[in-house]
Amino acid sequence: MAKKLIALAFTLIILFAVLIAIIGVFRTSRNKLGIAKPEQKLASGRLTLKKVGPNQVVVDNGIIQVTFSSPQGLITGIKYKGFDNVLNNKIKNRGYWDVMWYEPGQEQLIDLLEGVKFNVINQTSEHVEISFSRAWKISQRGSLVPLNVDKRYIIRRGVSGIYMYAVLEKLKGWPTVDMDQTRIVFKLNTKFDFMAISDQRQKIMPSEIDRDITNKRANPLAYKEAVRLINPQNRIFKGQVDDKYMYSMENKDNKVHGWISSDQRVGFWMITPSDEFRVCGPPKQELTSHVGPTTLSMFTSLHYAGKDMNTTYTSMEPWKKVYGPVFVYLNSASSPNRLWTDAKRQMVAEVHSWPYDFVKSVDYPLHQQRGTVKGQFFVMDRYISKSKLFGKFAFVGLAMPGKAGSWQTENKGYQFWTTADRMGIFTITNVRPGSYNLYAWVSGHIGDYKYERDITITPGREIDVGAILYEPPRIGATLWEIGKPDRTAAEFYIPDPDPTLSTKLYLNNSYQPQDRFRQYGLWDRYTALYPRNDLVYIVGVSDYKKDWFYAHVTRNAGNGTYQATTWQIVFRLKAVIKTGNYTFRMALAAVTTANLSVRINVPTSKPIFMIGLIGQDNAIARHGIHGLYNLYDINVGGNLLRVGNNTIFLTQDRRWGSFTGVMYDYLRLESPQEV
């Protein structure tokens, strides 16, 4: 018996030693991979909330300590690791919400949504949720945006960050108002010097002082947010351009961004776990982080869309919306790579936790109070395939009822989007109760899809729409095409920037061709390439990747004057049906105060089509490769065409500046309909 006990003990000792060795190997491998230890695994203290004097509230969980002004609800301090305050103490407003608003005919104002009442919504050993609120009164008209405001902040035990959301409400009968922008802003301690918004787009950044025009550290450029650094504190930035719009990102990719203090080895990150409260769908571009150091959470704005977005809330229109929660995450590690890797890991964890189960608001439905929509998306274009095609990687979403494509200018309700798989199968989860339309679009095909029935979501309901079929606009066979129908101009020729106006956007100055449009002044390169004569594209000879300029802009004639430009598409036809109607499909990826006209064969003839003065997305100036999508189907009478060479003339005749113009997505000429 004794021998058996000794043998058993010896076996247990060996197993324990093996287990210790395995753990050691795992930790070593983890460190070699550069994976930061999750901050919330660190020991944390007791979660406390206390009032400090009449004007401050402090919440401390042993990892971070957050100070709020009370009852205003501004974040004035965040204590973490070696920082007494990760925010900039020299700036009065350094952690705040704001709304840019105005009544019709009045000047634009900014409201910081300051509260007048402080409440503890929920306080347990696991988390604290606090509220800073105010109710609007008619006596405040003209000074405060007509909204009831309830700003909420949640701090959890063992979690290194702050959850924040707001419930904004406008009652029926309150004044008509435009609200063009809603956001959260953080102005950080100047020790934060390294910015990261994606795996490639991250680098040491210039400072706010470096952008100072008054003290001749920078020169202003043609677009007001852009400056050229001429006397920066760090000489590596000399001659570079800085512009916050260079760091914009599409909603679908904008999940985590922020700043790192190289000295303190601390990261400050804005994490957005869901897009449901964002506006204008997955392609909507928005600001992220930029020089300041500043970090933003943008909920609504006119960026890359303009007033084509309906941001007017009428007096007879009641409205209520929850923005957020978003999560500010702080971490510490030995290198920027480890900090970024850990921030991405935390982002994934937050996304998987959505909707959060710890939010205490009747306006925020929990998982069991939401619904699901699923189905399979197909495309049928008989000139591409005799059978229907899988809607491979289609964007499929729910948004407020409207016309096909209306989601890209819709900003008052909630939107829920997903990407279909290779077979077009999609599932949209965690949808708030309400009435929606089902929309879709897919790269490789023009136009927008809308499901014929309204979708009504009720708590816990799963709706299977089955197989749905999209038939893109089509009359006849393709005679020729230019570009790819993907809603961007990214496939066209994007020139190298003026070497005196370049920006090194990436760590170690690595080159990323997918982002080469994010440079200042590319619009002026058209004048350099075409100083006298405009672009001529010969179908079958020219290559749109090399010969089609990414933006149809004006020509800079000097002395502040600009010339209209006319592009030509030259193509041959072996036969022409004189009595038939050909179709010219023109998909635009962006338009800014442009008037585009189309003529056939005679450049001085009456246009067969004019789009009129449209577009305010400003994508050309703001280094976007797209703004709002527009599709035009233009009839071309066969009597205007001839056997042999033909020319389509595209004239942009507005001459208001460098940024006036269009970006094309895709152009196609179709034969008449087959009988």
Coordinates of all heavy atoms in Angstrom, one line a residue, residues 576 578 600-602 608 635-642 646:
V576 N -24.7 50.3 -86.3 CA -25.5 51.2 -85.5 C -27.0 50.9 -85.9 O -27.4 50.9 -87.0 CB -25.2 52.7 -85.7 CG1 -26.2 53.5 -85.0 CG2 -23.8 53.0 -85.3
K578 N -30.1 52.7 -86.0 CA -30.4 54.1 -86.0 C -31.8 54.3 -85.3 O -32.0 55.4 -84.7 CB -30.5 54.6 -87.4 CG -29.2 54.7 -88.1 CD -28.4 55.9 -87.5 CE -27.0 56.1 -88.3 NZ -26.3 57.2 -87.7
I600 N -22.9 64.0 -77.6 CA -22.5 62.9 -78.5 C -22.0 63.4 -79.8 O -22.7 64.2 -80.5 CB -23.7 61.9 -78.7 CG1 -24.3 61.4 -77.4 CG2 -23.2 60.8 -79.6 CD1 -23.4 60.6 -76.6
N601 N -20.7 63.1 -80.1 CA -20.0 63.4 -81.4 C -19.8 64.8 -81.7 O -18.8 65.2 -82.4 CB -20.8 62.7 -82.5 CG -20.5 61.2 -82.5 OD1 -19.4 60.8 -82.2 ND2 -21.4 60.4 -82.9
V602 N -20.6 65.8 -81.3 CA -20.4 67.2 -81.6 C -20.3 67.9 -80.3 O -21.2 68.1 -79.6 CB -21.6 67.7 -82.4 CG1 -21.3 69.2 -82.8 CG2 -21.8 66.9 -83.7
I608 N -27.3 66.0 -74.3 CA -28.4 65.0 -74.2 C -28.7 64.8 -72.8 O -29.8 64.2 -72.5 CB -28.0 63.7 -74.9 CG1 -26.9 63.0 -74.2 CG2 -27.7 63.9 -76.4 CD1 -26.7 61.5 -74.6
N635 N -30.3 57.9 -72.0 CA -30.7 57.4 -73.3 C -29.9 58.1 -74.4 O -29.8 59.3 -74.4 CB -32.2 57.6 -73.6 CG -33.1 56.7 -72.7 OD1 -32.7 55.6 -72.4 ND2 -34.2 57.2 -72.3
V636 N -29.4 57.3 -75.3 CA -28.6 57.8 -76.4 C -29.3 57.3 -77.7 O -29.3 56.1 -78.0 CB -27.1 57.3 -76.4 CG1 -26.4 57.9 -77.6 CG2 -26.5 57.7 -75.1
G637 N -29.9 58.2 -78.4 CA -30.6 57.8 -79.7 C -29.6 57.3 -80.7 O -28.5 57.8 -80.9
G638 N -30.0 56.2 -81.4 CA -29.1 55.6 -82.4 C -28.8 56.6 -83.5 O -27.8 56.5 -84.2
N639 N -29.7 57.6 -83.7 CA -29.5 58.6 -84.8 C -28.3 59.5 -84.5 O -27.8 60.2 -85.4 CB -30.8 59.4 -85.0 CG -31.2 60.1 -83.8 OD1 -31.3 59.6 -82.7 ND2 -31.4 61.4 -83.9
L640 N -27.9 59.5 -83.2 CA -26.7 60.3 -82.8 C -25.4 59.6 -83.0 O -24.3 60.3 -83.0 CB -26.8 60.8 -81.4 CG -28.1 61.6 -81.0 CD1 -28.1 61.9 -79.5 CD2 -28.1 62.9 -81.8
L641 N -25.4 58.3 -83.3 CA -24.2 57.5 -83.4 C -24.0 57.2 -84.9 O -24.8 57.3 -85.7 CB -24.4 56.2 -82.6 CG -24.6 56.4 -81.1 CD1 -24.9 55.1 -80.4 CD2 -23.4 57.1 -80.4
R642 N -22.8 56.7 -85.1 CA -22.4 56.4 -86.5 C -21.5 55.2 -86.5 O -20.8 54.9 -85.5 CB -21.7 57.6 -87.2 CG -20.5 58.1 -86.4 CD -20.1 59.5 -86.9 NE -19.0 60.0 -86.1 CZ -18.8 61.3 -85.9 NH1 -19.6 62.2 -86.3 NH2 -17.7 61.7 -85.2
N646 N -16.8 57.2 -82.7 CA -17.8 58.0 -82.0 C -17.1 58.6 -80.8 O -16.1 58.1 -80.3 CB -19.0 57.3 -81.5 CG -19.8 56.8 -82.7 OD1 -20.8 57.4 -83.1 ND2 -19.5 55.6 -83.2

